[in-house]
Amino acid sequence: MAGIERIECGARMSGAVVYNGLVWLAGQVGTPGASVTEQTKDALAEVDRLLALAGSDKTRILSAQIWLADMADFAEMNAVWDAWVPQGATPARATGEAKLAAPGYRVEVIVTAAQA
């Protein structure tokens, strides 16, 4: 059985955890106070970066959860997501509304992926 690998392990959480060929990412956010478009782009860039560190990429995402501070931002977030997600490799996805960790956060992206 493979060991657990923690990537960017901190006192409270890891950026990613790898076990048995699967990669779980912590929630990724953008710059507080930025637009939904910019926050989504920033969060997805962090998803790309962490997946690369874990030996994976966005074509291997199995599921995604996206949390919005306001569902009125759904279309704006989706415009960025649709340009980023690889067609033919779209993951299972859920999007919901939630009060995020700080008032300036408007988008949080959480993914689970398979290693390459």
Side-chain angles (χ1 to χ4, degrees), residues 9-31:
C9 185
R12 179 167 290 143
M13 71 183 94
S14 295
V17 175
V18 180
Y19 178 73
N20 204 23
L22 293 177
V23 182
W24 291 267
L25 266 55
Q28 301 303 308
V29 295
T31 303

Side-chain angles (χ1 to χ4, degrees), residues 103-115:
Y105 289 126
R106 297 172 66 190
V107 180
E108 184 168 2
V109 179
I110 305 164
V111 304
T112 302
Q115 282 186 304

Side-chain angles (χ1 to χ4, degrees), residues 7 18 23 50-57 60 114-116:
I7 298 170
V18 180
V23 182
L50 287 166
L51 287 176
L53 290 174
S56 188
D57 62 57
R60 307 207 34 95
Q115 282 186 304

Side-chain angles (χ1 to χ4, degrees), residues 47-100:
V47 167
D48 283 333
R49 186 183 72 77
L50 287 166
L51 287 176
L53 290 174
S56 188
D57 62 57
K58 65 185 171 184
T59 67
R60 307 207 34 95
I61 297 174
L62 303 171
S63 68
Q65 295 176 39
I66 301 175
W67 294 104
L68 299 172
D70 186 339
M71 284 303 288
D73 296 328
F74 187 67
E76 186 176 350
M77 176 277 300
N78 267 335
V80 177
W81 172 270
D82 290 346
W84 175 82
V85 72
Q87 294 306 300
T90 53
R93 191 188 100 174
T95 303
E97 182 178 280
K99 187 173 184 176
L100 301 179

Side-chain angles (χ1 to χ4, degrees), residues 29-43 104-107:
V29 295
T31 303
S35 70
V36 169
T37 295
E38 288 307 311
Q39 287 192 31
T40 305
K41 286 179 180 179
D42 291 349
Y105 289 126
R106 297 172 66 190
V107 180

